[in-house]
């Protein structure tokens, strides 16, 4: 199981993805501009869809 945390601020989102042990798999700051958020989550979905 993976855990996704998103902390929203006025100009940025702080995104953290962790595994069951609490190890950080991804930590990013993303602009709150809609196009940047969509771009980030498109890339995130593509990354998660790849076989490991």
């Amino acid at each position: 199981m993976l855990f996704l945390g998103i902390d929203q601020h006025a100009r940025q989102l702080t995104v953290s993805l962790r595994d069951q042990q609490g190890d950080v798999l991804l930590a990013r700051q993303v602009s709150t501009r809609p196009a940047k958020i969509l771009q980030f989550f498109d890339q995130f979905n593509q990354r998660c869809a790849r076989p490991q």
Side-chain angles (χ1 to χ4, degrees):
M1 182 179 296
L2 299 175
F3 300 92
L4 179 66
I6 302 173
D7 189 14
Q8 181 179 352
H9 298 274
R11 294 189 177 131
Q12 69 183 19
L13 302 174
T14 301
V15 181
S16 179
L17 181 67
R18 295 176 180 254
D19 62 16
Q20 288 181 324
Q21 292 75 34
D23 295 327
V24 176
L25 303 175
L26 174 74
R28 294 269 168 77
Q29 291 184 335
V30 181
S31 168
T32 54
R33 294 190 340 222
K36 292 293 186 180
I37 294 169
L38 291 173
Q39 179 185 24
F40 170 78
F41 280 106
D42 283 344
Q43 292 172 352
F44 180 78
N45 285 333
Q46 290 174 6
R47 179 179 173 185
C48 291
R50 286 187 219 141
Q52 297 191 13

